[in-house]
Amino acid sequence: MDDGGHSGFGQGRGGNEGMSGAPMWQIKRKMAQYEAQRETLVQELIRENEEKKVPAEAPNVLVDAIASGLDGKTKPLVRHVLVKDLNRVAQMKGIEFPTTDIFQGKAPMGLYALFDGQSCIGTPGPVAAEYCARNLHVKVMENLVMLKQGSGTEPFIKAAIIKSFHDLDADYLAQKPEVQDGCGAAMALFIGGHIFVATLGRCTAVLAEAPQDGGRPRPHALVGGGQPQATAVAGSLGEPARKSGAGGAATLSCTPEVHGVALQHCREHPFLILGSSTMAAVLDAAKLVDFATDFSIQPRFACGELLARGLEAHAAAAATASATPQLVVAQVSFLPPKEKAPEKSTGSEPAAKKAKPGSKDGRKSMRFRHILIRTQDAPGAKQLS
């Protein structure tokens, strides 16, 4: 049977072509390109995997809080929580935050908050404050994870914080419908070079800002220096009886007032203060900043000073009141940027030789090591006369 002159190699044209009809040299070149692309992809995946293993740094801050008015017998009405490294908590729970915009470069993250059971319309109680202190950071992480890549900007983060308060309030009302406790809140979320501050109820949050012409710091125009929103001041978490009025209409809001600030150097933005409603009642934002300024980068001493000032202001009222109010104040002190550690040698460059002792560039001090050798005469050895 005639095969049309096919030789049986390739497609019958001398075996120098592939099944597609392309010359073999083109096929080999494409295969080499595919191999190079695959190798590049593998290296990128390895690099990304190694970067994920490197833990994110903790925020470069000092933070502390002090409370007063505790008798050790009853639960405190004011609770505070200081999550100094939110990235580590997220890693323990298997949560991955966005990696773009404000979150870029594994931005350091911290969360600092206090919840005041005295900042409510009804009778003060400890249940709502304790529940919120235990669960707010979880809600914040869950909502930050929902942000898609490219949505890690200030408006989306603010929306995530507001939703976290709404989710926290809804869960509390669902789990404890019989408890009528409520609480106000003051929260600060640190992400990279940004600070997001949320206040609800009569609690206070003040960011200190140094004036451009020098002088003592003063409250920031947005965080502490402006007039707070009336709805946020009148709102609270919990208090189910006041969350629905006649016809099911809500009479009490749980939406906080949220502000975001791009932090400058610690000379411009030295610290942030969070205070309970009892602190805000006797010390305004200007006094809080002024008293704390005398204790630079010393949050424990600054909180102690503010607490003492607050107790003095409450002294007259405490003498006639049936119970001493509980005061809580927290301060976040921002530190100067860390100096980058020198990069390790890759081994391509030879190590520099050490200077000899006694030379012009030698060491100024030396350490001598004494080596003691124990000897023992062998049995029967002759002694020299």
Side-chain angles (χ1 to χ4, degrees):
M1 185 175 181
D2 187 9
D3 58 359
H6 289 190
S7 61
F9 298 98
Q11 293 182 352
R13 290 183 289 275
N16 196 28
E17 299 176 354
M19 297 298 294
S20 63
M24 189 61 67
W25 65 270
Q26 289 186 356
I27 296 176
K28 291 181 178 180
R29 186 175 65 180
K30 289 183 178 180
M31 290 300 296
Q33 294 175 352
Y34 293 152
E35 287 294 327
Q37 293 176 359
R38 187 180 69 84
E39 182 65 22
T40 302
L41 181 60
V42 169
Q43 294 299 328
E44 290 180 355
L45 293 176
I46 294 175
R47 179 178 54 80
E48 291 178 359
N49 189 36
E50 292 297 327
E51 289 180 354
K52 288 182 179 180
K53 293 180 181 179
V54 178
E57 293 185 359
N60 190 26
V61 301
L62 292 177
V63 58
D64 212 332
I66 297 181
S68 72
L70 306 179
D71 55 10
K73 299 179 181 179
T74 58
K75 289 187 175 182
L77 298 175
V78 187
R79 296 276 188 168
H80 67 273
V81 55
L82 307 176
V83 183
K84 298 182 180 180
D85 191 349
L86 194 62
N87 280 307
R88 178 174 293 185
V89 178
Q91 185 179 13
M92 294 173 60
K93 293 182 174 293
I95 295 175
E96 294 185 5
F97 293 121
T99 57
T100 59
D101 301 309
I102 295 178
F103 297 91
Q104 190 172 6
K106 290 188 176 181
M109 296 179 63
L111 188 146
Y112 324 102
L114 62 83
F115 301 91
D116 188 356
Q118 303 164 121
S119 176
C120 60
I121 298 177
T123 304
V127 180
E130 181 179 4
Y131 179 88
C132 294
R134 292 180 179 273
N135 295 279
L136 177 65
H137 70 284
V138 178
K139 296 299 180 183
V140 170
M141 289 192 298
E142 291 175 353
N143 285 288
L144 291 179
V145 169
M146 297 300 292
L147 298 178
K148 298 180 180 179
Q149 298 295 343
S151 299
T153 56
E154 183 175 318
F156 287 98
I157 296 176
K158 288 181 180 180
I161 293 174
I162 293 175
K163 187 176 184 302
S164 300
F165 274 74
H166 290 175
D167 294 345
L168 186 67
D169 186 66
D171 288 356
Y172 175 77
L173 296 178
Q175 295 182 24
K176 302 180 182 296
E178 74 285 353
V179 180
Q180 298 300 316
D181 290 356
C183 69
M187 185 207 76
L189 176 63
F190 182 94
I191 306 178
H194 293 73
I195 192 78
F196 296 88
V197 181
T199 54
L200 181 66
R202 299 189 300 273
C203 298
T204 184
V206 187
L207 176 64
E209 182 178 39
Q212 295 181 355
D213 55 354
R216 296 175 66 85
R218 59 194 178 191
H220 189 273
L222 293 178
V223 184
Q227 187 68 23
Q229 297 176 1
T231 55
V233 173
S236 73
L237 295 163
E239 295 193 86
R242 293 176 172 79
K243 287 295 168 65
S244 59
T251 59
L252 196 63
S253 172
C254 63
T255 301
E257 179 179 358
V258 184
H259 295 288
V261 178
L263 294 174
Q264 304 299 321
H265 193 274
C266 61
R267 291 189 298 269
E268 285 75 24
H269 293 143
F271 56 84
L272 172 76
I273 295 175
L274 304 177
S276 60
S277 62
T278 48
M279 289 292 297
V282 294
L283 298 178
D284 57 19
K287 291 182 179 179
L288 289 172
V289 171
D290 187 61
F291 293 150
T293 300
D294 296 330
F295 302 91
S296 176
I297 317 181
Q298 300 179 79
R300 172 60 63 90
F301 292 103
C303 291
E305 176 67 15
L306 294 177
L307 205 64
R309 299 277 187 168
L311 290 173
E312 289 177 2
H314 275 285
T320 58
S322 58
T324 303
Q326 295 181 13
L327 284 73
V328 175
V329 60
Q331 188 195 55
V332 184
S333 295
F334 305 109
L335 301 178
K338 294 181 179 179
E339 295 182 359
K340 294 184 178 180
E343 297 182 358
K344 296 182 179 180
S345 176
T346 58
S348 58
E349 299 179 358
K353 294 183 178 180
K354 295 182 179 180
K356 294 182 179 180
S359 64
K360 184 178 179 181
D361 298 329
R363 301 174 182 174
K364 295 182 180 180
S365 62
M366 298 178 63
R367 184 180 65 177
F368 292 92
R369 178 177 296 174
H370 298 273
I371 302 176
L372 302 179
I373 301 176
R374 299 179 60 185
T375 61
Q376 183 178 2
D377 295 335
K382 295 182 178 180
Q383 296 183 355
L384 296 177
S385 55

